[in-house]
Amino acid sequence: MQVIVAGGGIGGLAAALALHGSGHEVTVFEAAPTILPLGVGINLLPHAAEVLGELGLFDALSAQSVATRELIYFNRFGQRIWGEPRGRFAGHATPQLSLHRGALQGVLFDAAVERLGTGRVLCDRRLAGHEQGGGRVEALFLDRAGAAWKVSADLLICADGIHSAARAGLYPDEGPPIYGGRILWRGTSLAAPFLTGASMIIAGHQDQKFVVYPISPPGPDGRQRINWAADLAIARSLRREDWNRRGDPADFLPRFEDWRFGWLDVPGLVRSAEAIYEFPLVDRDPLPRWSHGRMTLLGDAAHPMYPNGSNGASQAILDAQALVRALAAHADPVEALAAYEAERLPATAAIVAANRRNGPEQCLQIAYERAPNGFDRIEDVFAPGELEAIAARYRVLTGLKHASEPPVR
Ligand SMILES: Cc1cc2nc3c(=O)[nH]c(=O)nc-3n(C[C@H](O)[C@H](O)[C@H](O)COP(=O)(O)OP(=O)(O)OC[C@H]3O[C@@H](n4cnc5c(N)ncnc54)[C@H](O)[C@@H]3O)c2cc1C
């Protein structure tokens, strides 16, 4: 089949490569004039890394990543609440990969340009609408100069991100993304490794939190590129969400000035940032439908979610896998898109809802509510098995089960 993919982000490029790999003729239309290594750190959970591995991209990705070893939660005093091994260290066949979003998009983009064929990955083409009829779908694209292109295909896959034009076309009354009451300042710093050099840590609680993980192997000087995010509860977001908006440390650093844990110097990390970006915590309510005849939504266009649990990119890649599976199982493409939606819409809606309740970071909030000034022993704060159950519930919900999975309560 001929497939148009609108959006050359993580989900769109993964879908394009997976569709091409199963024999479809795919063209990607990306609104940005050129693909730049934008963003900061991102995580590929093992099931998503496996999908990209099956597309032959594992070596290229792992050369630019850290295979995350563990995830540890601390309170704001640096007292350990809960920790778990990750990726291969937790028994998965594929590691969890932490890397720069630009590196991930670059690997996907280069592979798409090489595999899809000449003229099949086009920048400066913004999806502006579509029509269906006669067993085809016709998409309208505009460039920055206002020139218009009409392109016809069997299917239109809309992976055009959190401000999806396709979604707005289907649901014109939906309005902007929903603000979750917190601002995230995200950055990268070159710094000495902390803990194992492959540890991800989250400290604090819902309204004041610091997330840190390395995203590159150590360089010749021993330093790693370390990704971090400082979250603060702020009643109102004054600015529209923009992934590239620069942030000012004066807006958040004073609140983290005494976050020095011996093994991690939060203010030092922030002060040595290469760049800082500001992004509000936003998502959208789950939709009743993604698929309409020969078009459907994928990734953030379909299910933008809070970043707790590191699921944004991974769920977009799982969408791509499910889409290809559905097309292989159903001769009728309209039925295939309905089957894709039936598998992925409820699964991702459950993650959106869980992330609104802090997802796997629930343990931080509970620890804060029960022991706001810290604790002597974590056993005094949580009942036996309570922490394991929180982590296990979220793993099952996000499709990330592994051999040693404890029972879910
Ligand atoms: C610039 C940028 C920086 C980001 N930085 C981070 C980060 O540091 N950490 C993190 O966890 N997540 C980041 N994200 C979000 C993350 O990539 C997504 O949450 C996740 O990977 C799901 O991918 P997606 O392909 O659905 O969306 P995205 O990766 O957001 O990709 C959507 C793509 O669609 C394009 N597009 C938008 N409108 C149209 C249109 N009308 N027609 C055609 N194309 C269109 C966009 O330019 C973009 O390339 C960033 C996203 C962007 C766009």
Side-chain angles (χ1 to χ4, degrees):
M1 269 185 293
Q2 291 178 320
V3 187
I4 295 169
V5 174
I10 310 305
L13 291 169
L17 288 164
L19 288 161
H20 173 264
S22 61
H24 302 292
E25 185 188 295
V26 186
T27 312
V28 178
F29 296 82
E30 161 59 43
T34 161
I35 297 287
L36 297 170
L38 298 175
V40 288
I42 208 159
N43 272 287
L44 282 177
L45 300 178
H47 45 10
E50 193 174 325
V51 173
L52 299 187
E54 283 162 8
L55 291 170
L57 302 175
F58 184 77
D59 290 346
L61 290 169
S62 71
Q64 304 185 67
S65 311
V66 170
T68 308
R69 208 186 161 90
E70 59 182 3
L71 168 59
I72 314 185
Y73 297 95
F74 297 89
N75 66 8
R76 53 98 59 245
F77 307 106
Q79 294 179 303
R80 186 182 188 280
I81 294 168
W82 166 253
E84 60 188 22
R86 302 293 285 185
R88 283 207 175 120
F89 302 91
H92 293 283
T94 314
Q96 171 173 335
L97 297 177
S98 300
L99 72 170
H100 196 285
R101 179 185 178 274
L104 171 58
Q105 192 181 21
V107 167
L108 297 170
F109 183 78
D110 291 348
V113 168
E114 188 189 314
R115 296 179 192 180
L116 267 46
T118 312
R120 296 223 170 267
V121 184
L122 299 164
C123 288
D124 195 12
R125 297 287 184 276
R126 176 175 294 279
L127 179 71
H130 80 279
E131 287 176 356
Q132 301 193 42
R136 298 282 282 179
V137 54
E138 189 177 71
L140 171 67
F141 293 95
L142 302 178
D143 71 10
R144 280 180 306 161
W149 280 266
K150 284 189 172 172
V151 186
S152 161
D154 297 302
L155 286 179
L156 170 63
I157 310 302
C158 301
D160 51 343
I162 187 150
H163 297 117
S164 168
R167 179 172 176 136
L170 296 173
Y171 299 96
D173 299 330
E174 189 184 22
I178 303 166
Y179 179 51
R182 279 160 262 164
I183 302 281
L184 283 58
W185 287 267
R186 303 144 48 242
T188 55
S189 307
L190 290 169
F194 67 93
L195 297 181
T196 64
S199 303
M200 175 170 182
I201 74 109
I202 306 181
H205 60 95
Q206 177 182 289
D207 293 343
Q208 184 176 9
K209 193 173 75 183
F210 203 77
V211 181
V212 200
Y213 55 92
I215 56 171
S216 76
D221 63 358
R223 294 186 304 169
Q224 288 179 290
R225 179 159 284 115
I226 294 183
N227 177 83
W228 51 263
D231 300 15
L232 283 180
I234 307 276
R236 244 163 19 102
S237 172
L238 299 176
R239 296 178 274 263
R240 181 183 192 258
E241 54 287 332
D242 172 355
W243 286 109
N244 301 317
R245 186 184 303 288
R246 291 294 177 134
D248 181 352
D251 289 337
F252 66 96
L253 188 52
R255 298 277 306 275
F256 292 90
E257 238 2 303
D258 62 344
W259 287 41
R260 292 189 177 83
F261 305 145
W263 48 270
L264 186 75
D265 173 5
V266 168
L269 208 52
V270 172
R271 288 206 170 85
S272 62
E274 298 171 296
I276 300 177
Y277 301 95
E278 177 192 310
F279 197 79
L281 185 76
V282 288
D283 67 0
R284 291 181 182 276
D285 288 332
L287 291 175
R289 285 173 64 189
W290 299 346
S291 299
H292 296 256
R294 290 174 176 266
M295 71 83 71
T296 196
L297 304 174
L298 182 145
D300 279 3
H303 49 69
M305 54 183 63
Y306 295 171
N308 329 47
S310 311
N311 265 289
S314 296
Q315 295 299 325
I317 292 165
L318 296 186
D319 289 348
Q321 181 192 43
L323 177 66
V324 167
R325 220 174 20 226
L327 285 166
H330 298 267
D332 176 357
V334 176
E335 278 175 26
L337 294 193
Y340 152 75
E341 173 188 306
E343 177 182 343
R344 295 298 298 156
L345 194 155
T348 51
I351 304 173
V352 170
N355 285 2
R356 286 180 179 174
R357 301 187 302 271
N358 294 311
E361 295 164 18
Q362 236 179 58
C363 62
L364 296 178
Q365 190 58 20
I366 297 173
Y368 175 69
E369 285 164 13
R370 294 180 188 169
N373 300 314
F375 47 81
D376 292 330
R377 296 179 337 124
I378 192 64
E379 294 79 7
D380 298 335
V381 184
F382 287 89
E386 197 178 353
L387 286 161
E388 288 87 339
I390 293 170
R393 261 199 305 271
Y394 192 76
R395 275 199 298 272
V396 171
L397 187 77
T398 54
L400 197 63
K401 300 179 202 123
H402 59 77
S404 58
E405 197 64 66
V408 183
R409 295 159 205 224

